Amino acid sequence: MTGKAHISSDTCGQKAFEDIVRQYRQMVWRISLRMLGDPDEAEDAVQETFIRAWKALPGYDARYSMATWLGAIAARLCYDTLRRRTLHRRYELETSRSSYTDREQDPESGNIAEELERQLQTVTRSLSPMQRTVFVLREIEQLPFKEIRQITGWSEIQIKSNLYMARQSVRKAIKKHLTE
């Protein structure tokens, strides 16, 4: 016996799965939004995450928490989206910088928390897909390294080195912003 509990969409039932969606939707939304930086893409990722989870229920390993399993599906889906989007990253950064500058010139544009959130979104968009993935999971979602390894399938060295580079980039961007 492998210790793997098999759950199927038949045995789980639609009502039980709806409860799972209700319980974990916000977590999947936060991960998706932070990684993708776009609410519409994040919503698509949330829906796709739960569609994939429903289809993959027979392979769910109950040794892992449902949060870890769903987080892994969401993070991998977002990571794949980011990799496909890499060619368009420069254009997105230029667009986000120009819209940020427009809001910055308008003193009525919002409060400090909103400003910090916009700055964080701009900075995370500039990170590589791997750096963004580990930065969001560790620094924003505050997941332990063990769970990040389970979600991403990457080694601890890959996670820590990408997290280090991401933190350096974020520090540099914040320092630059503060001196402007």
Side-chain angles (χ1 to χ4, degrees), residues 34-37 82 85-86 89-90 92-94 96-97 118-132 165-166 168-174:
R34 295 289 187 172
M35 288 183 68
L36 298 173
L82 290 171
R85 201 167 60 176
T86 300
R89 187 170 53 177
R90 271 198 195 129
E92 288 176 4
L93 282 172
E94 289 170 12
S96 70
R97 283 186 186 132
R118 283 192 293 267
Q119 183 65 25
L120 183 61
Q121 283 294 326
T122 300
V123 171
T124 55
R125 282 187 196 122
S126 69
L127 300 173
S128 76
M130 282 184 87
Q131 290 172 9
R132 189 183 309 188
M165 291 184 288
Q168 293 297 99
S169 295
V170 170
R171 279 189 197 108
K172 184 179 175 183
I174 290 171

Side-chain angles (χ1 to χ4, degrees), residues 125-153:
R125 282 187 196 122
S126 69
L127 300 173
S128 76
M130 282 184 87
Q131 290 172 9
R132 189 183 309 188
T133 300
V134 296
F135 184 80
V136 167
L137 295 176
R138 178 68 179 165
E139 298 301 329
I140 297 173
E141 292 299 316
Q142 299 182 341
L143 297 178
F145 285 107
K146 180 180 178 183
E147 204 163 331
I148 296 170
R149 280 194 315 271
Q150 290 171 343
I151 288 171
T152 61

Side-chain angles (χ1 to χ4, degrees), residues 2-172:
T2 63
K4 195 172 184 180
H6 293 285
I7 301 173
S8 71
S9 49
D10 294 335
T11 59
C12 177
Q14 185 173 346
K15 172 76 172 105
F17 193 74
E18 287 173 5
D19 291 342
I20 290 169
V21 171
R22 257 191 300 284
Q23 184 176 354
Y24 296 102
R25 187 182 194 302
Q26 280 303 107
M27 178 206 66
V28 172
W29 165 255
R30 284 191 317 267
I31 290 170
S32 300
L33 182 62
R34 295 289 187 172
M35 288 183 68
L36 298 173
D38 178 86
D40 292 330
E41 282 187 318
E43 186 59 39
D44 290 344
V46 169
Q47 291 177 12
E48 182 63 26
T49 296
F50 285 109
I51 289 169
R52 289 182 183 189
W54 177 258
K55 291 177 180 178
L57 272 175
Y60 172 66
D61 186 345
R63 292 179 295 174
Y64 299 106
S65 74
M66 183 62 67
T68 299
W69 186 62
L70 291 170
I73 294 169
R76 288 181 183 136
L77 178 69
C78 292
Y79 178 73
D80 290 343
T81 300
L82 290 171
R83 282 191 346 200
R84 286 190 302 271
R85 201 167 60 176
T86 300
L87 295 175
H88 305 288
R89 187 170 53 177
R90 271 198 195 129
Y91 173 76
E92 288 176 4
L93 282 172
E94 289 170 12
T95 303
S96 70
R97 283 186 186 132
S98 67
S99 65
Y100 175 75
T101 302
D102 293 344
R103 286 190 302 268
E104 187 177 50
Q105 293 170 352
D106 179 10
E108 306 287 325
S109 68
N111 64 32
I112 294 171
E114 290 171 344
E115 181 67 24
L116 289 171
E117 179 64 25
R118 283 192 293 267
Q119 183 65 25
L120 183 61
Q121 283 294 326
T122 300
V123 171
T124 55
R125 282 187 196 122
S126 69
L127 300 173
S128 76
M130 282 184 87
Q131 290 172 9
R132 189 183 309 188
T133 300
V134 296
F135 184 80
V136 167
L137 295 176
R138 178 68 179 165
E139 298 301 329
I140 297 173
E141 292 299 316
Q142 299 182 341
L143 297 178
F145 285 107
K146 180 180 178 183
E147 204 163 331
I148 296 170
R149 280 194 315 271
Q150 290 171 343
I151 288 171
T152 61
W154 299 330
S155 72
E156 189 169 339
I157 292 171
Q158 287 176 302
I159 293 167
K160 287 183 176 182
S161 65
N162 278 282
L163 181 59
Y164 174 80
M165 291 184 288
R167 286 174 176 162
Q168 293 297 99
S169 295
V170 170
R171 279 189 197 108
K172 184 179 175 183

